Amino acid sequence: MSLGKIFENKKSDLSKRIDKQKIPEHIAIIMDGNGRWATKKGLPRTYGHKKGVNVLKEIIKVSKKLGCKVLTVYAFSTENWTRPSKEVSFLLNLFSEALSNEIEGIHEESIKIKFIGDLTPFPINLKKIISSSESLTKKNNKFLLNVCVNYGGRQEIVKVAKEIALKSFSGEIEPSEVNEELFNSKLLTQGIKDPELLIRTSGEKRISNFLLWQLAYSEIYISEILWPDFNEFEFLKAIIDYQSRSRRFGGIESLPNESN
Ligand code: FPP
């Protein structure tokens, strides 16, 4: 049997084990390991990022097919500016190129794309492509793809705290009115349900300043696979693992015979 056939068989076995009623509505992904993948193959790190775009395309397709509604991916963190300038330029060009090539397909699939983060330092051409992609797809309602770029969870929390402090200083709100709901309404992800599942590839067990507020109760799945090797099969494994968890949100599991 060919490797491709074995892979297809294993994939369909996993598909059968998925509970279609318990698909996470919102999945967040830290796509990690691009550089290591390329280095292992004796290639420049940038090859890993390029391959990473194809993987992302596959995972968007699978998520949508499964009935997931929102995917939020970490494409560029506030800390990524400290990489060699050549790699940073490559990544920014890659975002422009991938968006230009894929936006028609994204739109045809009725996917809405939204960029989350501080876009100010990005080159003007990238800002233009981001803005036109967002406006082209803004009415699409089958699926939402959030791409976090120049994003940091702490920076987002500080931004919200500043806005609330200003409102309080100007007398618009009382300090006693500051609560989680108000905080939520000012986040960059306002209006979007928190992710039920966070997937991080490449075996790293950190949150790395990603969606610090929003991930408070998310289930975390660490895959040992480097992002460029991640695929539908590994993604299904993550969902099955998630479905086996008991989500208690700090409470206790309710027993079948207990009325309340
Ligand atoms: C982490 O791997 C990956 C990134 C910093 C970039 C991820 C970006 C993409 C996959 C492209 C997405 C494209 C669009 C249009 C959204 P790493 O470089 O940190 O790998 P390492 O840990 O092995 O060094």
Side-chain angles (χ1 to χ4, degrees):
M1 198 186 284
S2 72
L3 265 180
K5 198 88 192 139
I6 294 171
F7 177 71
E8 278 306 315
N9 283 347
K10 282 166 83 182
K11 205 166 71 185
S12 70
D13 281 354
L14 280 193
S15 295
K16 282 182 212 136
R17 284 173 51 198
I18 295 242
D19 179 347
K20 298 276 176 345
Q21 307 307 313
K22 273 174 66 185
I23 301 293
E25 226 176 88
H26 183 178
I27 301 177
I29 308 185
I30 302 180
M31 310 177 288
D32 198 11
N34 292 352
R36 273 167 285 164
W37 178 87
T39 308
K40 265 187 171 177
K41 293 189 167 338
L43 297 166
R45 291 173 54 83
T46 48
Y47 278 68
H49 298 314
K50 232 178 160 159
K51 176 81 172 26
V53 176
N54 294 334
V55 176
L56 178 57
K57 272 172 66 181
E58 181 181 351
I59 297 307
I60 295 169
K61 222 162 92 184
V62 185
S63 313
K64 192 166 173 265
K65 188 175 77 185
L66 284 174
C68 167
K69 295 289 175 215
V70 185
L71 199 62
T72 301
V73 296
Y74 210 0
F76 194 90
S77 73
T78 43
E79 292 74 27
N80 285 155
W81 294 108
T82 60
R83 294 188 174 203
S85 61
K86 261 191 165 168
E87 185 171 340
V88 170
S89 307
F90 181 90
L91 276 169
L92 301 185
N93 278 329
L94 183 68
F95 297 154
S96 300
E97 200 185 291
L99 258 186
S100 314
N101 292 340
E102 305 299 337
I103 196 60
E104 282 307 324
I106 289 176
H107 187 43
E108 274 164 23
E109 285 289 318
S110 197
I111 297 174
K112 176 175 173 171
I113 190 163
K114 200 168 170 285
F115 284 78
I116 292 183
D118 177 11
L119 307 182
T120 331
F122 286 151
I124 186 81
N125 71 315
L126 177 55
K127 283 199 264 201
K128 274 189 185 159
I129 298 172
I130 288 180
S131 157
S132 61
S133 306
E134 287 185 332
S135 52
L136 176 70
T137 62
K138 70 172 183 246
K139 293 208 176 101
N140 293 347
N141 54 13
K142 288 271 187 302
F143 190 82
L144 170 64
L145 172 67
N146 291 317
V147 184
C148 295
V149 280
N150 193 25
Y151 171 86
R154 285 188 175 180
Q155 290 83 342
E156 180 183 28
I157 290 172
V158 169
K159 177 195 96 71
V160 174
K162 260 191 200 155
E163 276 176 39
I164 293 178
L166 279 170
K167 277 193 186 296
S168 172
F169 184 70
S170 68
E172 252 180 276
I173 54 164
E174 290 294 324
S176 61
E177 290 174 295
V178 179
N179 56 23
E180 287 187 22
E181 205 187 335
L182 179 69
F183 214 94
N184 261 323
S185 73
K186 302 204 169 298
L187 289 169
L188 299 170
T189 53
Q190 53 114 333
I192 303 167
K193 187 178 175 195
D194 289 340
E196 293 99 319
L197 172 64
L198 166 71
I199 300 175
R200 181 168 189 155
T201 58
S202 92
E204 302 292 348
K205 301 176 182 69
R206 287 186 293 278
I207 293 189
S208 298
N209 207 13
F210 188 43
L211 302 175
L212 294 182
W213 175 280
Q214 297 86 340
L215 292 173
Y217 288 103
S218 309
E219 296 297 326
I220 300 179
Y221 178 85
I222 307 290
S223 166
E224 294 299 324
I225 307 293
L226 303 174
W227 179 252
D229 281 333
F230 199 73
N231 54 29
E232 177 169 359
F233 182 71
E234 298 300 329
F235 187 68
L236 294 179
K237 268 167 55 181
I239 309 254
I240 288 171
D241 188 83
Y242 160 83
Q243 293 187 335
S244 73
R245 315 263 182 104
S246 131
R247 306 192 73 211
R248 295 186 298 274
F249 302 94
I252 57 167
E253 201 166 7
S254 57
L255 298 170
N257 291 335
E258 283 180 354
S259 51
N260 51 33

Coordinates of all heavy atoms in Angstrom, one line a residue, residues 177-221:
E177 N -17.7 50.6 37.6 CA -18.4 50.0 36.4 C -17.4 49.2 35.6 O -17.7 48.5 34.6 CB -18.9 51.1 35.5 CG -20.1 51.8 36.1 CD -20.5 53.0 35.2 OE1 -19.8 53.9 35.1 OE2 -21.6 52.9 34.6
V178 N -16.1 49.2 36.0 CA -15.1 48.4 35.3 C -15.3 46.9 35.6 O -15.2 46.5 36.8 CB -13.7 48.8 35.6 CG1 -12.6 48.0 34.9 CG2 -13.5 50.3 35.3
N179 N -15.6 46.1 34.6 CA -15.8 44.7 34.8 C -15.3 43.9 33.6 O -14.9 44.5 32.6 CB -17.2 44.3 35.2 CG -18.2 44.8 34.1 OD1 -17.8 45.0 33.0 ND2 -19.4 45.1 34.5
E180 N -15.4 42.6 33.6 CA -14.9 41.7 32.5 C -15.7 42.1 31.2 O -15.1 42.1 30.1 CB -15.1 40.3 32.9 CG -14.1 39.8 33.9 CD -14.2 38.3 34.1 OE1 -14.6 37.5 33.2 OE2 -13.8 37.8 35.2
E181 N -17.0 42.3 31.3 CA -17.7 42.6 30.1 C -17.2 43.9 29.4 O -17.0 43.9 28.2 CB -19.2 42.8 30.5 CG -20.2 42.5 29.5 CD -21.6 42.9 29.9 OE1 -21.8 42.9 31.2 OE2 -22.4 43.2 29.0
L182 N -16.9 44.9 30.2 CA -16.4 46.2 29.6 C -15.1 45.9 29.0 O -14.7 46.4 27.9 CB -16.3 47.2 30.7 CG -15.7 48.6 30.3 CD1 -16.7 49.3 29.4 CD2 -15.4 49.5 31.5
F183 N -14.2 45.2 29.7 CA -12.9 44.8 29.2 C -13.0 44.1 27.9 O -12.3 44.5 26.9 CB -12.2 44.0 30.3 CG -10.7 44.3 30.3 CD1 -10.2 45.2 31.2 CD2 -9.8 43.6 29.4 CE1 -8.8 45.4 31.3 CE2 -8.5 43.9 29.5 CZ -7.9 44.8 30.4
N184 N -13.8 43.1 27.9 CA -14.0 42.3 26.7 C -14.4 43.2 25.5 O -14.0 42.9 24.3 CB -15.2 41.3 26.9 CG -14.7 39.9 27.2 OD1 -13.7 39.5 26.7 ND2 -15.4 39.2 28.1
S185 N -15.3 44.2 25.7 CA -15.8 45.0 24.7 C -14.8 45.9 24.0 O -15.0 46.5 23.0 CB -17.0 45.8 25.2 OG -16.5 46.9 26.0
K186 N -13.6 46.0 24.7 CA -12.5 46.8 24.1 C -11.3 46.0 23.6 O -10.4 46.6 23.1 CB -12.1 47.8 25.2 CG -13.2 48.6 25.7 CD -12.8 49.9 26.3 CE -13.9 50.8 26.6 NZ -14.7 51.2 25.4
L187 N -11.4 44.7 23.7 CA -10.3 43.9 23.1 C -10.3 43.9 21.6 O -11.4 44.2 21.0 CB -10.5 42.4 23.6 CG -10.3 42.2 25.1 CD1 -10.7 40.8 25.4 CD2 -8.8 42.3 25.5
L188 N -9.2 43.6 21.0 CA -9.1 43.6 19.6 C -10.0 42.5 19.0 O -10.3 42.4 17.8 CB -7.6 43.3 19.1 CG -6.7 44.4 19.6 CD1 -5.2 44.0 19.3 CD2 -7.0 45.7 18.9
T189 N -10.4 41.5 19.9 CA -11.2 40.4 19.4 C -12.7 40.6 19.9 O -13.4 39.6 19.9 CB -10.7 39.1 20.1 OG1 -10.6 39.3 21.5 CG2 -9.4 38.6 19.5
Q190 N -13.0 41.9 20.2 CA -14.4 42.1 20.7 C -15.5 41.5 19.8 O -15.3 41.6 18.6 CB -14.6 43.6 21.0 CG -14.3 44.5 19.8 CD -15.6 45.1 19.3 OE1 -16.7 44.6 19.4 NE2 -15.4 46.3 18.6
G191 N -16.4 40.9 20.4 CA -17.5 40.3 19.7 C -17.3 38.9 19.3 O -18.1 38.2 18.7
I192 N -16.0 38.4 19.5 CA -15.7 37.0 19.1 C -15.6 36.2 20.3 O -14.9 36.5 21.3 CB -14.4 37.0 18.3 CG1 -14.4 37.9 17.1 CG2 -14.0 35.5 17.9 CD1 -13.1 38.2 16.5
K193 N -16.2 35.0 20.3 CA -16.2 34.1 21.4 C -14.7 33.7 21.7 O -13.9 33.5 20.7 CB -17.0 32.9 21.0 CG -17.2 31.8 22.0 CD -18.1 30.7 21.4 CE -18.2 29.6 22.5 NZ -18.7 28.4 22.0
D194 N -14.4 33.5 22.9 CA -13.0 33.0 23.3 C -12.7 31.7 22.7 O -13.6 30.8 22.6 CB -12.8 33.0 24.8 CG -12.8 34.3 25.4 OD1 -12.5 35.3 24.7 OD2 -13.0 34.4 26.7
P195 N -11.4 31.4 22.3 CA -11.1 30.1 21.7 C -11.4 29.0 22.7 O -11.0 29.1 23.9 CB -9.6 30.2 21.4 CG -9.3 31.6 21.5 CD -10.2 32.2 22.4
E196 N -12.0 27.9 22.3 CA -12.1 26.7 23.2 C -10.8 25.9 23.2 O -10.5 25.2 24.1 CB -13.2 25.8 22.7 CG -14.6 26.4 22.8 CD -15.1 26.9 21.5 OE1 -14.3 27.5 20.7 OE2 -16.3 26.7 21.1
L197 N -10.1 26.0 22.1 CA -8.9 25.2 21.9 C -7.7 26.0 21.4 O -7.9 26.8 20.4 CB -9.2 24.1 20.9 CG -8.1 23.2 20.4 CD1 -7.4 22.4 21.6 CD2 -8.5 22.2 19.3
L198 N -6.6 25.9 22.0 CA -5.3 26.5 21.5 C -4.4 25.3 21.0 O -4.1 24.4 21.8 CB -4.6 27.3 22.6 CG -3.1 27.6 22.2 CD1 -3.1 28.7 21.1 CD2 -2.4 28.1 23.4
I199 N -3.9 25.4 19.8 CA -3.0 24.4 19.3 C -1.7 25.1 19.1 O -1.6 26.2 18.5 CB -3.4 23.8 17.9 CG1 -4.8 23.1 18.1 CG2 -2.4 22.8 17.4 CD1 -5.4 22.6 16.7
R200 N -0.6 24.5 19.7 CA 0.8 25.0 19.4 C 1.6 23.8 18.8 O 1.6 22.7 19.4 CB 1.4 25.5 20.6 CG 2.8 26.1 20.3 CD 3.5 26.9 21.4 NE 4.7 27.5 20.8 CZ 5.2 28.6 21.3 NH1 4.7 29.2 22.3 NH2 6.3 29.1 20.8
T201 N 2.2 24.1 17.7 CA 3.1 23.1 17.1 C 4.5 23.2 17.5 O 4.9 24.1 18.2 CB 3.0 23.2 15.5 OG1 3.4 24.5 15.1 CG2 1.6 22.9 15.0
S202 N 5.3 22.2 17.2 CA 6.7 22.1 17.4 C 7.1 21.8 18.9 O 8.3 21.9 19.2 CB 7.5 23.4 17.0 OG 7.6 24.3 18.0
G203 N 6.2 21.4 19.7 CA 6.5 20.8 21.0 C 6.8 21.9 22.1 O 6.9 21.5 23.2
E204 N 6.8 23.2 21.7 CA 7.0 24.2 22.7 C 5.8 24.3 23.6 O 4.6 24.4 23.1 CB 7.3 25.6 22.1 CG 8.5 25.6 21.1 CD 9.8 25.4 21.8 OE1 9.9 25.5 23.1 OE2 10.8 25.1 21.1
K205 N 6.0 24.5 24.9 CA 4.9 24.5 25.9 C 4.7 25.9 26.5 O 4.8 26.1 27.7 CB 5.1 23.4 26.9 CG 5.2 22.0 26.4 CD 5.4 21.0 27.4 CE 5.6 19.6 26.8 NZ 6.8 19.4 26.0
R206 N 4.6 26.9 25.6 CA 4.4 28.3 26.1 C 3.3 28.9 25.4 O 2.9 28.6 24.3 CB 5.7 29.1 25.8 CG 6.9 28.8 26.5 CD 8.0 29.8 26.2 NE 8.5 29.6 24.8 CZ 9.3 28.7 24.4 NH1 9.9 27.9 25.3 NH2 9.7 28.6 23.1
I207 N 2.8 30.0 26.0 CA 1.7 30.8 25.3 C 2.3 31.9 24.5 O 1.7 32.5 23.6 CB 0.7 31.3 26.4 CG1 -0.1 30.1 26.9 CG2 -0.3 32.3 25.7 CD1 -1.3 30.4 27.8
S208 N 3.5 32.4 24.9 CA 4.3 33.4 24.2 C 3.5 34.6 23.8 O 3.5 35.1 22.7 CB 4.8 32.8 22.9 OG 5.7 31.7 23.1
N209 N 2.9 35.2 24.9 CA 2.2 36.5 24.7 C 1.1 36.5 23.7 O 0.7 37.5 23.1 CB 3.3 37.5 24.3 CG 2.9 39.0 24.7 OD1 2.0 39.2 25.5 ND2 3.5 39.9 24.2
F210 N 0.5 35.3 23.5 CA -0.6 35.2 22.5 C -2.0 35.2 23.3 O -2.2 34.5 24.2 CB -0.5 33.9 21.8 CG -1.4 33.7 20.6 CD1 -1.7 34.7 19.7 CD2 -2.0 32.4 20.4 CE1 -2.6 34.5 18.6 CE2 -2.9 32.2 19.3 CZ -3.1 33.2 18.4
L211 N -2.9 36.1 22.9 CA -4.3 36.1 23.4 C -4.4 35.8 24.9 O -5.1 35.0 25.3 CB -5.1 35.1 22.6 CG -5.2 35.2 21.1 CD1 -6.0 34.0 20.5 CD2 -5.9 36.5 20.7
L212 N -3.6 36.5 25.7 CA -3.5 36.2 27.1 C -4.8 36.3 27.8 O -5.1 35.4 28.7 CB -2.5 37.2 27.8 CG -1.1 37.1 27.4 CD1 -0.2 38.1 28.2 CD2 -0.6 35.7 27.6
W213 N -5.6 37.3 27.5 CA -7.0 37.4 28.1 C -7.9 36.3 27.6 O -8.6 35.6 28.4 CB -7.6 38.8 27.8 CG -8.9 39.0 28.3 CD1 -10.1 38.5 27.7 CD2 -9.3 39.6 29.5 NE1 -11.2 38.9 28.4 CE2 -10.8 39.6 29.6 CE3 -8.7 40.3 30.5 CZ2 -11.5 40.2 30.6 CZ3 -9.4 40.9 31.6 CH2 -10.8 40.8 31.6
Q214 N -7.9 36.1 26.3 CA -8.9 35.3 25.6 C -8.7 33.8 25.9 O -9.6 33.0 25.8 CB -8.9 35.5 24.1 CG -9.2 36.9 23.7 CD -8.1 37.9 23.7 OE1 -7.1 37.7 24.3 NE2 -8.2 38.9 22.9
L215 N -7.4 33.4 26.2 CA -7.1 31.9 26.4 C -7.3 31.5 27.9 O -7.0 30.3 28.2 CB -5.7 31.7 26.0 CG -5.3 31.8 24.5 CD1 -3.9 31.7 24.2 CD2 -6.1 30.8 23.7
A216 N -7.9 32.3 28.7 CA -8.1 32.0 30.1 C -8.6 30.6 30.4 O -8.1 29.9 31.3 CB -9.0 33.0 30.8
Y217 N -9.6 30.1 29.6 CA -10.1 28.8 29.9 C -10.0 27.9 28.7 O -10.7 26.8 28.7 CB -11.6 28.9 30.3 CG -11.8 29.5 31.7 CD1 -12.1 30.9 31.8 CD2 -11.5 28.8 32.8 CE1 -12.2 31.4 33.1 CE2 -11.6 29.3 34.1 CZ -12.0 30.6 34.2 OH -12.1 31.1 35.5
S218 N -9.1 28.2 27.8 CA -9.0 27.3 26.6 C -8.2 26.1 26.9 O -7.3 26.1 27.8 CB -8.2 28.1 25.5 OG -8.7 29.3 25.3
E219 N -8.6 25.0 26.2 CA -7.8 23.7 26.3 C -6.6 23.9 25.5 O -6.7 24.5 24.4 CB -8.7 22.6 25.8 CG -9.9 22.3 26.6 CD -9.6 21.9 28.1 OE1 -8.6 21.2 28.3 OE2 -10.4 22.2 28.9
I220 N -5.4 23.4 26.0 CA -4.2 23.6 25.2 C -3.8 22.2 24.7 O -3.7 21.2 25.4 CB -3.1 24.2 26.1 CG1 -3.6 25.6 26.6 CG2 -1.8 24.3 25.4 CD1 -2.6 26.3 27.5
Y221 N -3.5 22.2 23.4 CA -3.0 21.0 22.8 C -1.6 21.3 22.1 O -1.5 22.2 21.3 CB -3.9 20.5 21.7 CG -3.4 19.2 20.9 CD1 -3.7 18.0 21.5 CD2 -2.7 19.3 19.8 CE1 -3.3 16.8 20.8 CE2 -2.3 18.2 19.1 CZ -2.5 16.9 19.6 OH -2.1 15.8 19.0

